[in-house]
């Protein structure tokens, strides 16, 4: 098994994430299901104000969970600035959460099966076969089951802030899944928008 640093070096060499949508570009629209299976559209969210979209690999990723907890801790400030936080992963809405658990979430979680929206945002990457095998055997992660058939495409952890006009005003994309956007930077970008 190659080391994490070697994987990240390879991803950088292939310039993964280079096609991520840039500041000033129109954000691709989407409709994705939430954990209850209801379709949520970017257009409907933008009617309420700016949207913070964060792509994450799945609830099996400890770095993703840390990032989501950090965002949850600053969510009141994000909401006070009129923004909605949306977390998107390729995991299926599998009914594993109860209605009480869903209603207790303070941000929107959406399922992007096959990472189609991540691809539109330029942050989907193909998991190398050796890493897919390591995750399946070494970490006991059946990504094929978790993602309903797609085990080799994951999003690069990335965050975008989209203004009410649908244009990206801030982004953070890094192929090193251990490095994430900071809530403070997101809040500052939202303050600048106000």
């Amino acid at each position: 098994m190659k080391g994490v640093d070697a994987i990240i070096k390879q991803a950088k060499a292939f310039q993964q994430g280079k096609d991520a949508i840039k500041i000033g570009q129109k954000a691709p629209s989407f409709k994705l299901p939430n954990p209850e299976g209801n379709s949520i559209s970017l257009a409907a969210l933008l009617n309420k104000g700016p949207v913070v979209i964060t792509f994450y690999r799945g609830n099996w990723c400890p770095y993703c969970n840390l990032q989501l907890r950090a965002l949850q801790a600053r969510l009141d400030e994000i909401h006070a600035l009129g923004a909605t936080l949306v977390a998107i992963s390729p995991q299926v809405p599998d009914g594993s959460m109860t209605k009480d658990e869903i209603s207790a979430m303070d941000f929107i979680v959406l399922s992007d099966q096959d990472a189609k929206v991540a691809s539109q945002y330029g942050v989907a990457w193909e998991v190398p076969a050796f890493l897919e095998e390591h995750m399946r055997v070494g970490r006991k992660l059946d990504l094929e089951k978790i993602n309903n058939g797609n085990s080799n495409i994951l999003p690069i952890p990335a965050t975008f802030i989209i203004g009410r006009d649908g244009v990206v005003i801030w982004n953070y994309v890094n192929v090193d899944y251990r490095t994430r956007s900071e809530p403070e930077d997101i809040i500052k970008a939202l303050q600048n928008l106000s």
Side-chain angles (χ1 to χ4, degrees):
M1 165 63 192
K2 293 182 182 179
V4 169
D5 290 328
I7 294 165
I8 292 164
K9 184 177 180 182
Q10 183 182 23
K12 287 180 178 176
F14 284 107
Q15 296 184 320
Q16 295 194 357
K18 70 176 173 42
D19 295 327
I21 57 172
K22 311 281 188 275
I23 294 169
Q25 288 184 305
K26 192 86 167 165
S29 62
F30 60 78
K31 279 187 181 179
L32 292 172
N34 67 11
E36 293 178 309
N38 298 322
S39 187
I40 307 291
S41 74
L42 177 60
L45 296 171
L46 288 172
N47 282 336
K48 301 174 191 172
V51 177
V52 178
I53 297 174
T54 189
F55 288 92
Y56 70 106
R57 301 184 317 156
N59 67 9
W60 50 267
C61 170
Y63 296 96
C64 297
N65 292 332
L66 285 171
Q67 179 193 26
L68 294 177
R69 280 199 290 274
L71 288 168
Q72 173 72 37
R74 304 292 297 273
L75 200 55
D76 286 345
E77 294 168 81
I78 292 169
H79 287 168
L81 291 163
T84 302
L85 173 63
V86 178
I88 300 175
S89 89
Q91 278 188 267
V92 296
D94 61 0
S96 62
M97 297 176 75
T98 67
K99 284 195 179 289
D100 288 341
E101 288 172 321
I102 292 168
S103 64
M105 291 180 359
D106 296 325
F107 55 88
I108 298 167
V109 177
L110 300 176
S111 174
D112 178 24
Q113 288 184 6
D114 297 325
K116 289 178 182 170
V117 173
S119 293
Q120 291 174 329
Y121 278 69
V123 295
W125 74 287
E126 190 169 341
V127 179
F130 72 87
L131 182 56
E132 190 178 347
E133 178 73 7
H134 167 72
M135 293 171 99
R136 190 174 54 73
V137 176
R139 297 204 45 216
K140 307 287 188 246
L141 284 170
D142 186 349
L143 290 181
E144 189 169 347
K145 183 177 180 185
I146 291 168
N147 296 341
N148 194 28
N150 187 346
S151 63
N152 66 339
I153 303 290
L154 289 175
I156 294 168
T159 302
F160 300 90
I161 299 176
I162 300 163
R164 288 190 79 152
D165 59 359
V167 173
V168 176
I169 61 141
W170 184 89
N171 70 1
Y172 181 90
V173 179
N174 192 330
V175 295
D176 187 343
Y177 64 86
R178 301 167 298 182
T179 305
R180 306 298 176 101
S181 58
E182 292 294 333
E184 186 65 31
D185 295 332
I186 293 167
I187 289 164
K188 282 181 183 169
L190 289 169
Q191 287 169 338
N192 290 339
L193 186 61
S194 299

